[in-house]
Amino acid sequence: MPVRFLTALLAALAFLPALPAAAETPEPPDRIAAVWRTDHLAVDERLRAAIPATELDRIRSAMRTAGVPVYVAIVPRTPSLQKIRYDLPTLLHARVGAPGLYVVAVVDGDYWSTNAELYRQAGLRGRDLTSVRGDDKQRLDIVSDRPAPQIVRTIQQASTAFDGRALPAVPAADLEPERPHRGLSVTDKSDRAVYVGLGVGGLLGLVLTLVTGLRRRGGSKPTRTARPVDAREVELRADGKITQAERALARLDRRRNKTTQQLDRRDDAYRRLDAARALRADTTDDVLAAAGALVLARQAERIASGAALEPPCFFDPTHAPGTAKVDWSDEVEVPACQPCASAVRRGKTPRGLQVPARSGLLGHDRKQVPHWTLDPEDSPMVATGFGALSDDLAERITARKEDEVR
């Protein structure tokens, strides 16, 4: 009996690999791309019953008249989707491979948001979609409790970017009710006075110590892991982050019965966002200003979303936030991203954010140097280490603009 049982068990084990394996659930990009093969409007099955047919009809009508192929996906927010949310249009384009506008609309509760990318055929040129969206003064006034208004507006923006057609006005039914003008809070005014009055005196010693220490270490050989900084790339990142911060603040503004903490967060986020806008408004091809705008907008988005404020990486503010502390010079500890912190701990100098500096007999030569080697009196970004040394970059930018107006 035992022999027969053992023989049967071995036979069963031998056939197990031949049994069909359980089918794995396709990833979100694969599921959406599969639907797009037959219908360019992919609506998640979990949302079909909740979206009125009139909303979908309006989206289809805008897709037909766009003048550019349009692919739209309407999906609920899930943990797996959130990880790839901002990369989803790129991942979808990689699977479909066709030029056109790729729009992903995500719903979280009753709040809708969109993420989109426009891909042209090789050789075709036009405006950047991010630029068109940034110039659209009505984009932040569009309601977010329905999918069609934001999706239709995104399609209109892509049409403008694609062939230069005029951007139409947003229908009144798609706009949020007007809110009273937002002014500075008493806390903002008090903080500004304190920062402006004490900033120079309180930080002068720290800055001088830092500059002395940095120049003393200037002879050490920097690492060559980072590629040269592309000013335009930093500007685009800053513009994109400003848009994300605006959306985060719009969500916070729509909340009812805000707590005192939420109101303070809102005011703080607006202060940083206004400073980021100011840096992007009056400078061109300035890596320092673009990087400063990126840092401030990134902080504004985190604060408006309720996340903890993180300082930038001192060596390169375009890197990840400075979550590590390293001893950089005598009596100076600076925040750094993990790669830069590792370089310092190995006794090396990170390459840092490279910015142009005048050199030569007449100052006509332009060479790339780390930002911390510049004169801190010439730039609030250098003086504060983009906020890594002191968290008053926004106040300094605002105070400087006010002085220019006077």
Side-chain angles (χ1 to χ4, degrees):
M1 190 66 169
V3 175
R4 292 181 180 177
F5 176 77
L6 181 60
T7 303
L9 179 61
L10 292 176
L13 292 175
F15 280 98
L16 280 179
L19 296 175
E24 296 183 359
T25 303
E27 294 293 327
D30 296 317
R31 295 199 300 270
I32 296 171
V35 176
W36 279 350
R37 294 191 184 99
T38 56
D39 188 352
H40 286 187
L41 177 58
V43 182
D44 192 282
E45 291 296 334
R46 291 166 287 186
L47 300 177
R48 283 194 174 276
I51 301 177
T54 54
E55 289 280 294
L56 300 179
D57 292 341
R58 185 181 173 194
I59 295 171
R60 291 187 186 278
S61 177
M63 294 170 64
R64 288 193 296 268
T65 60
V68 58
V70 179
Y71 299 84
V72 177
I74 301 178
V75 294
R77 180 184 180 275
T78 60
S80 61
L81 182 69
Q82 186 66 15
K83 296 178 181 179
I84 60 171
R85 174 180 172 184
Y86 295 111
D87 298 324
L88 195 50
T90 302
L91 297 173
L92 289 168
H93 176 252
R95 285 161 171 76
V96 175
L101 173 67
Y102 289 72
V103 184
V104 178
V106 181
V107 63
D108 185 2
D110 60 352
Y111 176 77
W112 289 87
S113 61
T114 59
N115 190 26
E117 292 288 347
L118 177 61
Y119 299 93
R120 295 179 172 85
Q121 294 179 343
L124 288 182
R125 294 184 177 182
R127 290 190 63 187
D128 185 86
L129 179 59
T130 301
S131 174
V132 174
R133 301 184 82 170
D135 292 341
D136 185 0
K137 304 302 182 184
Q138 293 186 293
R139 71 189 187 283
L140 299 178
D141 299 327
I142 298 176
V143 297
S144 60
D145 57 353
R146 294 180 283 124
Q150 291 193 21
I151 295 175
V152 170
R153 192 59 173 178
T154 300
I155 294 173
Q156 293 171 347
Q157 292 165 345
S159 299
T160 297
F162 189 73
D163 58 16
R165 70 177 67 181
L167 193 62
V170 177
D174 289 350
L175 295 175
E176 290 277 5
E178 292 188 5
R179 298 185 182 87
H181 176 69
R182 176 189 56 83
L184 289 175
S185 67
V186 175
T187 303
D188 288 340
K189 295 177 181 178
S190 175
D191 288 347
R192 175 178 297 178
V194 172
Y195 280 120
V196 173
L198 300 179
V200 175
L203 296 174
L204 182 59
L206 174 63
V207 171
L208 291 177
T209 301
L210 176 63
V211 171
T212 302
L214 296 180
R215 289 178 177 173
R216 186 182 302 136
R217 295 187 56 164
S220 60
K221 184 177 180 181
T223 59
R224 299 292 179 181
T225 56
R227 60 183 175 84
V229 176
D230 183 347
R232 180 57 179 161
E233 178 181 343
V234 179
E235 291 171 357
L236 290 175
R237 288 181 60 189
D239 292 341
K241 187 57 67 174
I242 286 174
T243 299
Q244 294 176 22
E246 290 170 341
R247 292 173 180 169
L249 274 163
R251 292 195 296 270
L252 182 57
D253 274 336
R254 281 191 288 271
R255 289 188 179 182
R256 298 180 179 178
N257 301 322
K258 301 181 186 67
T259 65
T260 302
Q261 183 181 17
Q262 289 173 333
L263 291 172
D264 289 341
R265 282 210 325 263
R266 182 197 64 180
D267 292 343
D268 189 14
Y270 267 119
R271 182 170 58 244
R272 296 172 194 270
L273 179 58
D274 290 343
R277 289 167 174 162
L279 287 173
R280 290 293 298 123
D282 60 359
T283 56
T284 56
D285 297 326
D286 186 344
V287 177
L288 284 174
L294 174 61
V295 169
L296 290 167
R298 185 165 58 194
Q299 292 178 338
E301 182 197 20
R302 288 187 61 84
I303 293 172
S305 302
L309 179 65
E310 293 180 330
C313 173
F314 168 78
F315 302 100
D316 192 336
T318 66
H319 286 177
T323 55
K325 293 284 189 179
V326 294
D327 294 324
W328 172 235
S329 64
D330 296 344
E331 301 180 359
V332 175
E333 190 179 58
V334 297
C337 65
Q338 292 299 330
C340 289
S342 299
V344 174
R345 291 169 182 144
R346 293 195 306 269
K348 297 182 179 181
T349 300
R351 186 174 189 272
L353 179 67
Q354 300 290 302
V355 296
R358 296 187 182 276
S359 61
L361 182 61
L362 300 178
H364 292 164
D365 298 333
R366 304 282 281 180
K367 67 175 182 178
Q368 298 291 317
V369 298
H371 73 85
W372 61 78
T373 62
L374 301 181
D375 189 344
E377 295 184 1
D378 294 340
S379 168
M381 273 69 72
V382 178
T384 64
F386 294 91
L389 301 178
S390 60
D391 187 28
D392 64 338
L393 178 58
E395 287 75 15
R396 287 173 177 247
I397 297 298
T398 303
R400 186 182 65 175
K401 297 299 294 182
E402 290 178 348
D403 291 339
E404 291 175 357
V405 172
R406 296 193 189 101

